[in-house]
Amino acid sequence: MSFERHLICAPKGDHTRARPLTGLLPQTEVLTRKGFKPTSEITPADTVITREHGLSPVLTVVIQHARSRLVRFAAKTLNCDDKTRDLPCDILLPAHQAMRLRDWRAQALFGKHEARVQAAALIDNAYVTDDGMQSCEVVQLWLQTPSTLYLRCMEVLSAHAFDDHLRPLI
């Protein structure tokens, strides 16, 4: 399996092209037609399951190497303490990654039944923590339209564009 790797960054001194880093770390598992699969193994031949559209084909996979502030979601916060798995269930996301909340946190924090927020907005320094700036590889899954992807214990938005004010175009 081979991907064309893209390094996306703004030219020196050009701040109009800089965009927040979003995407998923390679080991993050996403629900596909064939079950959960690490993003590092997803190709444009795969189909993911989305909240809005059900089965959606992956059109493009973009891999970025960059420095980003990462946010760690502890497994016990996400109700996914799966003792049968060998891998830890903590999930790391870039701070600007958009998430969909549909549980008590949406109501308690944002006064809504459902909310779209950036991962950094949920930092509580107990169960959701700032892991600091780190060099990382981030995988972006581009679909026909931005859609909600299912991870093992949370919902996040697929790759999407930003407007000139750095607001997600979703």
Side-chain angles (χ1 to χ4, degrees):
M1 165 178 41
S2 166
F3 291 115
E4 181 178 341
R5 296 184 180 267
H6 302 271
L7 179 60
I8 301 176
C9 58
K12 199 170 193 172
D14 181 1
H15 300 291
T16 61
R17 296 190 55 185
R19 297 290 185 250
L21 182 68
T22 62
L24 303 171
L25 273 63
Q27 72 275 15
T28 306
E29 294 181 332
V30 174
L31 186 57
T32 70
R33 177 190 292 255
K34 296 180 180 176
F36 284 98
K37 195 173 190 181
T39 56
S40 61
E41 296 176 12
I42 294 177
T43 69
D46 285 311
T47 302
V48 295
I49 299 175
T50 68
R51 178 170 169 72
E52 297 84 358
H53 308 290
L55 294 172
S56 294
V58 175
L59 301 179
T60 306
V61 175
V62 175
I63 300 172
Q64 294 183 337
H65 299 274
R67 287 187 53 80
S68 178
R69 182 173 156 217
L70 296 180
V71 177
R72 178 178 299 275
F73 293 83
K76 57 186 158 188
T77 303
L78 303 167
N79 297 322
C80 69
D81 282 325
D82 187 348
K83 305 289 188 233
T84 63
R85 297 184 61 221
D86 294 332
L87 302 173
C89 283
D90 286 5
I91 294 177
L92 282 168
L93 294 174
H96 293 287
Q97 175 61 46
M99 303 175 56
R100 181 187 294 267
L101 296 180
R102 296 185 303 120
D103 58 10
W104 63 269
R105 288 174 286 213
Q107 188 65 46
L109 298 172
F110 305 101
K112 299 177 182 178
H113 171 70
E114 187 175 296
R116 284 189 186 166
V117 300
Q118 292 183 349
L122 299 175
I123 293 173
D124 62 10
N125 291 322
Y127 300 106
V128 182
T129 56
D130 185 339
D131 259 25
M133 289 294 289
Q134 297 182 33
S135 291
C136 58
E137 181 176 271
V138 176
V139 180
Q140 294 180 336
L141 303 177
W142 289 86
L143 311 177
Q144 187 75 31
T145 59
S147 303
T148 303
L149 301 172
Y150 294 103
L151 306 187
R152 285 233 175 241
C153 308
M154 66 174 54
E155 298 174 4
V156 300
L157 204 63
S158 64
H160 55 278
F162 290 90
D163 68 13
D164 291 335
H165 300 285
L166 301 183
R167 293 180 298 231
L169 293 173
I170 47 180

